[in-house]
Amino acid sequence: MTIAPDAPAYTGPIAHLTREDVEQLGRELDAIRQEVIDTRGERDAAYIHKVIKVQRSLELGSRAVLLASIFPPAFVVGTVGLSIAKILDNMEIGHNIMHGQWDWMRDPKIHSTVWEWDNASTAEGWKHSHNELHHTYTNIVGKDNDLGWGIMRVDEEQPWTPSSLFQPAMNFINMCIFEYGIAAYDLELGRVLRQKKKGRRPSAEWEMAAKKTVAKIRRQAFKDYVAHPLLSMIALSGPTTLVANLTANFVRNVWTHSVIMCGHFPEGVETFELKDIPEDEGRGDWYVRQMLGSANISGSKLLHIMTGNLSHQIEHHIFPDLPSNRYAEIAPKVRALFDKYGLNYHTAPMPQQVASAWHKVLRLSLPNGFMESTNVRNAPSQLGKLVKAVRGDNRTRRRILKEFEAAGAASIGTAV
């Protein structure tokens, strides 16, 4: 999608809209937001207090059960309970509190400025990378590091290189250790390492942030992998408690990674080029970018809670500071605006969204047009060309990539 600052109209999926349309859309979304702000109150406060109480009770109960985890039933019950508790802590509680969704309550214990979560990332680092950068530059290639976490090719306009072939494996590894991947991403570790190779020393501010992150990781590791297993040794359940904690953290990592993948990676979700974003991007333009750069997950109320209501990713990105329990309530109003202005409200069940996101990861690990132009009959020759593109010099690679792209376009045209 292009938002052309000097042109009278837009291009791409909003080409049918005028500037007046986009401005009016912004005003209508502002009205929805204000309606929620005007009606926030006891019902919302009771909700977040209840979720926190349930999460803490579930974690405490699960850890108590794991004291007897040498017995298989206790191991299973304790591990499942702890996994759910960690997911609730990160998704519906930590993520949303640190977004400032509950700051309006003026509760000194439930406030974005003081909340810390059960995660390797520090709250301070996460709020900078997520709230300030990701939500400001949503799906802008090169600016939004959440878009591929700096380890993946996420748009056809990005150059393909042989290293792109490894991105499905990299994404899988990232999923398994997601909390540590996010901690590294919050620190922009890749950028800092590249600068070090050029002889540039990290700033004192970065070194302080890195020390805080390492200290946080140590505390988390000590709690889950030393303190609680040692406590369980009283009942000879130390090793099984260690395995339970490892499993719970793994489950949390896979779940949160999957939810986040569903929010911005599925096929059909728009990405943007920085050059196409006007410097004076208006409120309506910003809303449209959030709307087209996000995708929802359809499902039950329990699913919505377990995703931190990021199953309503569209509503969350439009209104990141509204209480999460209100997203389901305003979703029909938001969807009605999509329909009114002829925009695609991207929503599907979680298995479908996860599959779509992984399909995109795999597709973009290959040259443009490769997947579209490859079939059972020509697969051997296509793979042979791909090997030549990997091993060949730059000139050979550019020629083969152009051939793949042209063949892919032809295949799509034939299918249509």
Side-chain angles (χ1 to χ4, degrees), residues 36-56:
V36 175
I37 290 175
D38 292 342
T39 57
R40 289 181 306 197
E42 292 183 8
R43 173 169 66 99
D44 305 292
Y47 171 81
I48 189 60
H49 279 106
K50 181 178 180 180
V51 173
I52 291 173
K53 182 178 179 180
V54 168
Q55 187 277 331
R56 288 176 175 171

Side-chain angles (χ1 to χ4, degrees), residues 160 165 366-367 370 382-390 400 404:
W160 181 87
L165 293 170
L366 299 166
F370 179 90
Q382 289 284 88
L383 289 173
K385 286 184 179 180
L386 182 59
V387 171
K388 289 181 180 178
V390 171
I400 294 174
F404 281 142

